[in-house]
């Protein structure tokens, strides 16, 4: 689906917009909203922590960049997106302020635990992902929809380097099921750009790279700023 | 991903296996586990209730069947699946007893609210789906991964009439974004069966059928009972 300015801001590493002090006091949940979830927490396994540390070292020379991740879009970004792309009749700001990013709407450790790193030179995203107990499909394994979700997120992050984009196609081959609570590595690569079309490929592998769990291609379309979505 | 015996039991409409009275008293969460979530609750919109009522009337002559839906697999089904398909080294029964079905792991109204109906004569599933505020992608719209998830669930339910199956491919075309908290209709159809391959198509439309939001095809593979998954 859509990759918004919010995500682009995140990709660029900008801190979320903050309201002035008085407004901040009015919204007690503001701090929680702006918490960066792409950082270690007690639910992270040893494997996930080791991979995180390894890539944080790669970030030191600037060749890789860790991408922060939030539960909600900063209100400034929300308004910008609504103004540019959404029909005014659909603006339900009060209700939407309660909405949460799908992948960050779980309790710590029970859903999507992940961190993404971006290499601008390679046009590549690496995502380390640990899928928790509330992402179950059949007993003991991740749901196919949860795998599709983390692929959409990772491929989408790779595509937004090209502009504000929308997922047009996801084609996913499931090769080997992923055990719940294990850590896998997603590799997402920009293949080509043709006009407004952005082509991305993505694989999901075991940490030792011996098992390919899933392979996918994705097509994203750059949004036309003069056209509304609905 | 995989569609287990649990889902097959559900499709057949069997009530979940219940432990004897003494054991039931030991597990206070048992009642919650066996709650059927494919029934109206206060978060359901008027649209969703109307569609539910309309199809419940179609069930009266037996041509359609409502499919119940649970948060966890009954322990008997869990053990049967583990015994038949999972390597013994992966059996972590204590941990797995805390796992929850991905689409049923949200608080009422915030995640996936849906009910499916099955027509055996037409080999077709109709799913009415209301995606809540915690399934957000860009501001105001459902996440592409959430849409992939409900497609996987609906197409999978259509496929399991043919046996215990596993998703091998999902190919999804996103045509028009779905506003958060709206109700859409999924239609999933068995296209053909070739040996162990089960081909399904699925569309996501607005209630008035004027807007096609998403179109997908899915390939499922019937599991070989003599072969383990991992």
């Amino acid at each position: 689906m859509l990759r918004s300015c919010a995500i682009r801001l995140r990709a660029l590493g900008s801190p979320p917009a903050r309201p002035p002090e008085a407004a901040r006091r009015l919204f007690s949940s503001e701090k929680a909203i702006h918490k960066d979830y792409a950082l270690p927490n007690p639910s992270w396994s040893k494997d996930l922590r080791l991979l995180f540390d390894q890539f944080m070292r790669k970030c030191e020379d600037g060749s890789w960049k860790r991408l922060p991740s939030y539960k909600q879009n900063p209100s400034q970004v929300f308004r910008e997106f609504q103004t540019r792309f959404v029909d005014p009749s659909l603006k339900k700001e009060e209700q939407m302020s309660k909405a949460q990013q799908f992948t960050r709407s779980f309790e710590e450790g029970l859903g999507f635990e992940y961190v993404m790193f971006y290499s601008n030179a390679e046009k590549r995203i690496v995502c380390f992902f640990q899928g928790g107990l509330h992402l179950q499909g059949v007993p003991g394994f991740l749901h196919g929809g949860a795998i599709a979700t983390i692929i959409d997120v990772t491929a989408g992050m790779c595509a937004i380097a090209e502009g504000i984009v929308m997922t047009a196609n996801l084609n996913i081959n499931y090769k080997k099921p992923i055990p719940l609570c294990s850590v896998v590595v997603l590799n997402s690569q920009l293949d080509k750009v043709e006009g407004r079309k952005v082509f991305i490929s993505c694989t999901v592998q075991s940490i030792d790279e011996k098992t390919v769990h899933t392979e996918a291609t994705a097509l994203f379309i750059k949004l036309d700023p003069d056209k509304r979505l609905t």
Side-chain angles (χ1 to χ4, degrees), chain A residues 53-167:
Chain A
D53 291 344
Q54 185 187 322
F55 264 70
M56 285 306 280
R57 281 194 294 276
K58 288 193 185 190
C59 291
E60 284 167 12
D61 66 2
S63 59
W64 286 84
K65 192 172 183 61
R66 183 186 69 86
L67 304 177
S69 171
Y70 307 100
K71 228 187 234 298
Q72 292 193 326
N73 298 306
S75 48
Q76 183 194 318
V77 174
F78 173 77
R79 285 198 202 94
E80 188 190 329
F81 180 82
Q82 291 271 6
T83 308
R84 287 181 67 181
F85 296 112
V86 182
D87 189 289
S89 67
L90 284 171
K91 289 182 189 174
K92 300 172 194 162
E93 198 157 339
E94 194 190 0
Q95 186 191 39
M96 289 311 145
S97 67
K98 293 173 190 157
Q100 289 186 9
Q101 192 65 23
F102 181 33
T103 54
R104 295 302 185 188
S105 64
F106 290 79
E107 275 181 50
E108 198 171 280
L110 293 178
F112 297 86
E113 293 293 340
Y114 63 99
V115 56
M116 287 188 266
F117 293 90
Y118 180 61
S119 159
N120 187 44
E122 296 182 36
K123 301 286 183 197
R124 187 157 77 95
I125 298 260
V126 171
C127 172
F128 303 117
F129 168 50
Q130 175 185 299
L133 292 171
H134 284 190
L135 305 188
Q136 182 168 253
V138 293
F141 295 94
L142 284 183
H143 197 287
I147 298 170
T149 300
I150 198 73
I151 287 172
D152 187 34
V153 167
T154 308
M157 278 302 244
C158 209
I160 53 106
E162 305 300 316
I164 299 174
V165 296
M166 178 174 170
T167 317

Side-chain angles (χ1 to χ4, degrees), chain A residues 19-62:
Chain A
E21 189 56 38
R24 198 153 60 231
R25 263 180 274 125
L26 281 173
F27 301 102
S28 58
S29 62
E30 196 76 357
K31 200 174 167 186
I33 290 167
H34 290 154
K35 181 182 164 185
D36 181 356
Y37 285 85
L39 289 168
N41 69 49
S43 81
W44 283 28
S45 67
K46 198 180 158 189
D47 284 342
L48 190 51
R49 279 167 190 272
L50 281 173
L51 292 164
F52 176 83
D53 291 344
Q54 185 187 322
F55 264 70
M56 285 306 280
R57 281 194 294 276
K58 288 193 185 190
C59 291
E60 284 167 12
D61 66 2

